[in-house]
Amino acid sequence: NTTLSCSTSMISSLCVPAEETVRNLKHVKGSTTLLLQVAAEAKVQFEVRQAASIQLKNICRECWAERVNFAGFPLTTDGKKPPLLDEEDKARIRPGLVAALLAEAEKSLRDLLAETLHTIVIHDFPQNWPDLIPTLLTTIQQGANDPAQALRVHNALLALRKVCKRYEYKSKDQRGPLNEIVNQAFPLLLPLAQRLSAPEEHALEAAMMLKQILKIFWSSTQFYLPGSDGNGPSPALANPQSMQPWLDILQRALVKPLPEASTGLEPKNQPTTVEERNAWPWWKVKKWAVQIMSRLFSRYGIPSYAEDDAKEFAKYFSQNVATQFLGPVCETLNLRPSGQFCTDRVVHLCLTYVDLAVELSSTYKLLKPHLDFLLYQVCFPTMCLTQEDIEIFENDPHEFVHRQNSPLADFYDPRMSAITLVTDLVKHRGQDVTQNLLGRMTEILQRYNASPPESKNHVEKDGALLTFGSLSKFLLAKDKYALELEGLLVTSVFPDFNSPVAFLRYRACWMVQQFSTVRWSDDGSNLRNLLQLNLQRLSDPALPVQIEASKSLRYLIEADGADQTLLPVLPQLLTEYFRIMNEIGNDEVVSALQVLLDKFGDHIEPHAHQLVTQLSNAFNQYCTAGEDDDDDDAAMAAAQCLECIATVLKGICDQPSIMKNLEPLLIPLILKIMGNDGEYIEYLECALDILTFLTYFPDTISPELWQAFPLIYVAFDQWAYDYLNMMVPCLQSYIAKAPDFFLQGQAQLPEGNIPYIDLIVSMVAKTVTNDKASESECRYALSLFMSLLHNCHGKIDMYLTIINEISLGKLGQQVNADIPLTRISIYQILGSALYYNPQLELVELEKRGVTQQVFGKWMKDVETMDRWLPRKLTILGMSSILSLPVASLPPSLQSSIPQLIDGVVRMSIALKEDEQKTGDDGGDADVPGGGSGLPSDIGDVDQGFGEDEDVTNEVDESYRKALQGVTSWDDDMARFLLGGDWDEDREDVDED
């Protein structure tokens, strides 16, 4: 207790030694039990209980079971494996943790204990924790109707959700435990949820419990409806109406009125601030209700997209449920137009539901009479800037830029869902929407232009431009509209580049990005004017305007004649970009700079040193911000800086002397990324790209650059195994450019001084023998053996044995594989080994007794070789055999000499004929349908689907069918496609 208390002290002399003691508790038997006791004791100081809970969570996560990385190797800390808790400690923790969690009233402590439970569930449930579910369900059953037990019931539901979440992303055949939980728990949870969602139930505790039940339902149903047992069909699929009671609960939750606190009506005491309202349990209940229904709609709303065994349920859902729920969703969307409050998240999810309803004919028929309401009372006001947006734009421009560029906006921002709904209405139901919508937006722009300055509605104009810009790909695709866009830009966008309203200048730059491919009808003066206007905005007083201006240039640069305006001011342009980059880390700005550098690659040589200096400094600045401030934008911008450096290097790759002069700037950057135990792993790919440039193009490799060689091995061995494919090119360059230095070099590793060549052999061996390595990775690894054999001629005789051991062992695994690519890679190694020293290589084959089998299979596979390299190495290898006296050949080969000669001659002739054919082919053949009509993903925005038709899309249907097949794939693929977590071992961050 005292140690934990000191660990929270602000006095460093007390805090530092206490923290060190706490960190070492994992080595002390019984420490987890003591930590749990402290965490659970209500009389102990809160900060001490919190410290105990955090440390308990960390120890259980690190020491409950051996942790392995993606490649299957154990994770280590400072080169040591963490200790594992013994079974006696685990047996105490499991029941004690449940008891502590059920009784905990403090939310932060409750969440920490629940996270610890989730960690243990991953490893121990159900085999080593069979009484967990019975304990939780008994608690729920005993307290369901007792208000005094509300806390225990809520916490039991929280724990049950953590168990269900364990199986949320599992494929069908791995969901057996979840199916069993559903069969046991849902009959108990259904009547409880019905009572909690009743119109007369208003208690806050009821909302908290109902929220947890809905989260359990979400985890159990969002990808597959649960089966009746481990293998049986889902009751909902066999009898769709069995789901109706749950769907009724969702509907009641969404329609429940939530009056203002000032009215005194139930449920009382709704908070008044937006932040507190967003966290209020009753609004959370609404969020989960519409989120569940939206997911069900996306999976079962259109029967033609549903899996075969779900067709009946999808039919029932589309005909009954989808239409039934549409009314409550639209009523919820009417809250804001009628002057009432609704959280952004609920609006976002309701718009998502309506967007799905646009595609289904039965729901679209209900929506069609209300399109004006949806477009002009819901969507357009949601798309317009709010007063809060404007204040943030003016007072906190960094935050405004962050929000506008957040990759999560599509999933949470109602503005994005409103834009999506409008664009989908135009795309799918254009005959009912497009003309009216464009007319209304044009009226807004005309009214703005005609109004005196004091009465112009700037926000409304911004919304209209946002609407036009969001529809750009549809408008540009049809001549009827494309021909009018030049006039729109000249009359309503060009003037805004000099508007006194900063957010309209911002919008003007954004519009350029959407309509950069517009066809100009004049002599080019409009484009030149636009470029000049855009260039002026790079030095705009408002940072968001600068950002958009810098982003828009990447689109304008491709226009015919743009280079004539931009090239003369290239030095000033680069200066402006770096000034903006020093102001804020934004990956799109750096990406725009990369496009600029790529476009003017032939002209950046004089600026190369300055560019790399500035980009290196920007990388270090962004990298620090991303690490210290958890700034995702800065972290992405840092990666983009490295890509820009690679672009600069590409532009000067024919000037190796300039590249050598850049090494002092780049080597520290590479060593920083590769030499910090994976701390900068997100930048490793870019660092390896840069290292490949520095090792491949110059004629020699400097001693300073060799510092990176052992770091590549350490990264592969400890934290970056799956980056092997990107490591191989620079390793090959090291070997090829300085074979003598390579053979003499040694790496100082914890296990001693290891020759560089041994590191290469180790990398190949670990990859080829690892069951989790893909065949592609194996082939990349094996190519390193070719580099050794080609570049170290006559100097690595002693390594032929291990090279053959690994290569032939892999060949034995692949001998009957349908796809011969890995076998062909091994033949390349064998051909290289024969060319290196045919006598020694034949000895290696003979002592294993595989000479005849290898050559027999090799000759058969020659017919499948369609690439130049394997055929050439086969010819070189076989020809090397022919250079030996026949008497010295193994008997198994002596009789095959005529066939070998015939094979070599035929391959040589075929190779020569193929080389002569290269370049004889004509130009690109005409692509059927190319260049005419409309892009397939756009369609005719004046037509679309009739109200009696469901929206169909071949691409969407193919994707959904691919998802349906995920049940037969491995679990990692399922998680990737279904949006799950790749790392079960990470901390469980649960959406509230």
Side-chain angles (χ1 to χ4, degrees), residues 827 830-831 854-862 865 874 878:
Y827 298 146
L830 297 178
V854 167
F855 278 93
K857 187 66 175 174
W858 193 348
M859 288 298 98
K860 288 181 180 177
D861 281 336
V862 161
M865 295 180 185
T874 297
M878 300 296 180

Side-chain angles (χ1 to χ4, degrees), residues 409-451:
D410 288 347
F411 303 99
Y412 291 95
D413 187 354
R415 180 177 287 112
M416 297 306 299
S417 55
I419 291 171
T420 301
L421 176 54
V422 170
T423 55
D424 282 348
L425 278 167
V426 169
K427 178 180 179 181
H428 300 314
R429 310 291 182 179
Q431 57 192 341
D432 301 326
V433 174
T434 305
Q435 293 290 340
N436 181 268
L437 176 64
L438 296 181
R440 293 281 286 266
M441 296 303 107
T442 302
E443 285 178 14
I444 291 173
L445 297 180
Q446 292 173 343
R447 183 164 60 246
Y448 181 90
N449 291 336
S451 299

Side-chain angles (χ1 to χ4, degrees), residues 42 246 314 317 399 676 852 921:
W246 284 103
F317 187 95
E399 175 61 19
N676 284 279
Q852 192 168 5
D921 293 336

Side-chain angles (χ1 to χ4, degrees), residues 275 385-404 415 503 542-544:
E275 292 77 10
L385 292 171
T386 65
Q387 187 58 40
E388 180 190 9
D389 293 328
I390 296 172
E391 290 174 1
I392 293 174
F393 184 102
E394 295 173 348
N395 302 321
D396 192 356
H398 286 78
E399 175 61 19
F400 182 87
V401 171
H402 170 73
R403 290 189 182 187
Q404 295 300 309
R415 180 177 287 112
F503 64 76
L543 178 64

Side-chain angles (χ1 to χ4, degrees), residues 453-525:
E454 65 275 6
S455 60
K456 290 181 183 291
N457 190 331
H458 309 303
V459 169
E460 189 180 48
K461 179 180 182 179
D462 179 81
L465 292 177
L466 175 60
T467 303
F468 276 113
S470 300
L471 299 174
S472 59
K473 70 175 182 178
F474 305 110
L475 302 179
L476 287 165
K478 192 167 185 180
D479 286 344
K480 173 182 176 180
Y481 301 116
L483 297 174
E484 303 296 326
L485 293 175
E486 182 178 15
L488 169 72
L489 293 174
V490 171
T491 59
S492 293
V493 177
F494 280 28
D496 284 346
F497 277 99
N498 294 306
S499 170
V501 181
F503 64 76
L504 284 180
R505 300 197 301 273
Y506 166 90
R507 185 61 64 199
C509 296
W510 178 84
M511 286 287 284
V512 170
Q513 299 167 43
Q514 313 312 311
F515 293 104
S516 60
T517 59
V518 72
R519 286 168 284 180
W520 302 101
S521 61
D522 62 352
D523 58 358
S525 59

Side-chain angles (χ1 to χ4, degrees), residues 65 172 332 368 430 448 491 493 511 573 707 747 769 788 895:
K172 280 184 178 179
T332 304
K368 186 176 177 182
Y448 181 90
T491 59
V493 177
M511 286 287 284
L573 259 181
Q707 297 175 67
T769 59
L788 295 178
S895 60

Side-chain angles (χ1 to χ4, degrees), residues 24-70:
N24 288 322
L25 285 176
K26 61 188 175 185
H27 300 286
V28 180
K29 179 177 171 58
S31 63
T32 49
T33 305
L34 295 175
L35 287 169
L36 181 57
Q37 290 174 354
V38 173
E41 180 51 64
K43 295 180 181 179
V44 174
Q45 181 185 354
F46 171 77
E47 289 77 11
V48 175
R49 296 180 65 201
Q50 188 175 51
S53 301
I54 292 171
Q55 192 58 32
L56 175 66
K57 178 201 71 172
N58 292 340
I59 291 178
C60 288
R61 181 170 177 263
E62 185 178 358
C63 306
W64 198 271
E66 184 177 67
R67 303 161 69 204
V68 296
N69 62 16
F70 176 77

Side-chain angles (χ1 to χ4, degrees), residues 704-771:
E704 293 78 16
L705 203 53
W706 274 98
Q707 297 175 67
F709 186 92
L711 296 182
I712 298 174
Y713 172 80
V714 172
F716 165 86
D717 186 57
Q718 296 185 9
W719 49 271
Y721 173 88
D722 45 336
Y723 284 79
L724 172 77
N725 294 8
M726 286 164 273
M727 297 174 177
V728 166
C730 42
L731 291 173
Q732 290 175 328
S733 294
Y734 275 114
I735 298 169
K737 293 291 176 65
D740 292 333
F741 191 97
F742 165 74
L743 291 173
Q744 296 168 9
Q746 292 187 336
Q748 295 180 354
L749 301 179
E751 50 267 40
N753 292 338
I754 310 298
Y756 285 168
I757 189 171
D758 287 358
L759 301 184
I760 295 293
V761 172
S762 175
M763 291 177 72
V764 180
K766 287 184 176 181
T767 304
V768 171
T769 59
N770 189 338
D771 292 339

